[in-house]
Amino acid sequence: DGSSKGIKLKAHSPSATPQQRAWMLLGSDGAGRQLGWGEDSAGIEVMQMRDVSLIFPAVPNVTAQLVVRLRLSEAVRQGSRIWLGKPQELAVNCSGPALRAISLPVEGCEVESSSVTLLVASSLPAGEYAFAMEMLLPLATPQVNTFALMVYGPDGLVQDAAMSLEGREVLAGLLLSPCELEWTASDAGQASSITLGFEVRDTLPRGVLGTVLITFPENFVHTLEGESGIEVLGTSLPLLRYGSHDSWADIRMVDRIAIHLDPDQAIATGRYEFRFPVTVPEQLPAFNVWQVTVCRPTSGAAHCLHPDSHLALATFPMAGFGLSNATAPLPGDRSSALRGAVLEVVLWALMALLAYLSSR
């Protein structure tokens, strides 16, 4: 009759846009004779979930945080699930404190050999989210080194996905571990002292590291006026005192600090931590993550000022604290507490000795 009619089909989309995207429709009669045909050469482009990133240090045999950053293109309902596919060689732990919600409310997770599934605790609007869990990295780069992220609604249908995410190459000679993030205050608009860093598990020869970059969560700012406001704790670190840099600390950007090292010196085993003052923002960002990035020495005018810099070797992400969180003790506070406990024991011992002597 000349009218236009359509046919609705359900199809399972592939993980990526295929090379041959054309769709073709053939019409035939009951005898199989072709009556007409049509082609859509443009086809359908498979859209990946936006702004997905996986942040973890590509160093061998270390337990560190795996941070997942994502952007939901549409709202999800309570009871939705987030599925993370991973290489089998990467062991993850999401039980108890090992799972950090950051900005994604979750109420449990299941770990299998090649995946992790998180249950979303409440309905969420479209927007940016992040979560973290504990990961034990292997000694070498996995043979199949890819990740995938899928969001399932309560009905079990896929709402969004990012497939074939490339993992990082494990750097065999970079034997580093993260130190815990510590802070003195977490009230909005107040001053706080932040301590973070890394541990060298085996001496790093000269020429391996050139910069340590500390990147803050959005809206956190340091209040430094000079390098003297940064405390370098622990083992002596070979800071760059001379050369092309005016200072061993670059504090020109208020949301990060670059610590320049002397590439002509080896870095001995030990803990290397940095303490500096910041102002806590009035509102925490969705990506509330601190990052410590170790970078190779610069060979020219380029500097390592971003975790994704071509000079970056590995980044240790650390889930941030919430507003009005209980403060974490700083290394100095721990040693002070220890000295207090020792002094108390000594006083009790002296009192007991005096009591014994006076009774004789």
Side-chain angles (χ1 to χ4, degrees):
D1 59 2
S3 62
S4 177
K5 296 182 178 179
I7 300 173
K8 289 185 177 181
L9 301 174
K10 281 187 176 182
H12 189 280
S13 60
S15 60
T17 303
Q19 279 191 319
Q20 299 297 328
R21 295 167 54 175
W23 290 71
M24 181 170 285
L25 178 67
L26 297 175
S28 59
D29 61 15
R33 292 187 295 268
Q34 181 175 313
L35 302 177
W37 65 277
E39 181 183 15
D40 178 359
S41 59
I44 301 172
E45 183 180 0
V46 177
M47 303 296 292
Q48 303 288 333
M49 188 189 304
R50 294 170 49 210
D51 301 335
V52 173
S53 58
L54 305 170
I55 307 168
F56 61 92
V59 296
N61 195 33
V62 65
T63 299
Q65 288 186 16
L66 162 66
V67 172
V68 180
R69 186 179 191 177
L70 66 148
R71 182 175 296 277
L72 296 175
S73 59
E74 58 184 61
V76 299
R77 290 177 292 161
Q78 181 179 3
S80 297
R81 291 177 295 124
I82 294 181
W83 179 89
L84 175 67
K86 65 173 187 66
Q88 292 189 7
E89 294 88 341
L90 275 66
V92 299
N93 175 19
C94 60
S95 60
L99 177 63
R100 303 291 300 274
I102 304 182
S103 56
L104 182 78
V106 293
E107 57 183 4
C109 67
E110 292 182 10
V111 177
E112 297 184 4
S113 61
S114 58
S115 67
V116 184
T117 303
L118 290 85
L119 184 63
V120 178
S122 62
S123 296
L124 302 172
E128 183 183 29
Y129 296 92
F131 63 90
M133 63 187 71
E134 197 175 82
M135 167 185 283
L136 174 61
L137 283 101
L139 291 172
T141 303
Q143 191 170 8
V144 179
N145 193 24
T146 57
F147 294 78
L149 190 69
M150 303 179 73
V151 179
Y152 291 90
D155 54 7
L157 299 179
V158 176
Q159 288 191 216
D160 214 342
M163 309 300 291
S164 302
L165 302 169
E166 288 295 326
R168 300 175 184 271
E169 297 276 334
V170 175
L171 302 175
L174 202 62
L175 299 180
L176 305 175
S177 300
C179 298
E180 289 187 12
L181 170 68
E182 298 171 326
W183 62 94
T184 57
S186 59
D187 293 329
Q190 299 300 308
S192 181
S193 289
I194 301 295
T195 303
L196 40 63
F198 59 92
E199 181 176 356
V200 176
R201 294 179 286 152
D202 192 14
T203 300
L204 294 175
R206 52 182 295 184
V208 174
L209 297 188
T211 301
V212 178
L213 175 66
I214 303 171
T215 308
F216 309 171
E218 187 178 2
N219 301 329
F220 279 85
V221 296
H222 68 68
T223 55
L224 294 165
E225 296 183 358
E227 63 184 31
S228 60
I230 305 172
E231 292 185 68
V232 181
L233 309 173
T235 311
S236 179
L237 189 65
L239 302 173
L240 186 62
R241 303 284 182 179
Y242 305 98
S244 60
H245 300 288
D246 294 332
S247 168
W248 54 264
D250 185 345
I251 60 172
R252 291 173 296 174
M253 303 177 72
V254 296
D255 64 347
R256 66 200 64 193
I257 299 171
I259 309 293
H260 300 302
L261 308 179
D262 186 349
D264 293 329
Q265 294 190 46
I267 301 178
T269 58
R271 291 172 63 94
Y272 299 92
E273 294 180 286
F274 310 94
R275 182 185 297 172
F276 50 89
V278 301
T279 299
V280 179
E282 296 291 337
Q283 184 175 355
L284 295 177
F287 186 62
N288 182 16
V289 177
W290 299 78
Q291 299 177 77
V292 176
T293 304
V294 291
C295 309
R296 60 173 61 90
T298 179
S299 57
H303 298 296
C304 189
L305 295 176
H306 194 278
D308 292 330
S309 168
H310 70 281
L311 296 170
L313 293 172
T315 294
F316 295 96
M318 304 171 191
F321 50 85
L323 294 179
S324 301
N325 265 183
T327 56
L330 292 176
D333 299 327
R334 288 197 299 263
S335 58
S336 297
L338 179 60
R339 286 194 298 269
V342 171
L343 180 59
E344 184 177 356
V345 171
V346 171
L347 288 174
W348 276 104
L350 287 174
M351 290 174 62
L353 179 60
L354 289 173
Y356 172 74
L357 293 174
S358 62
S359 63
R360 297 190 62 182

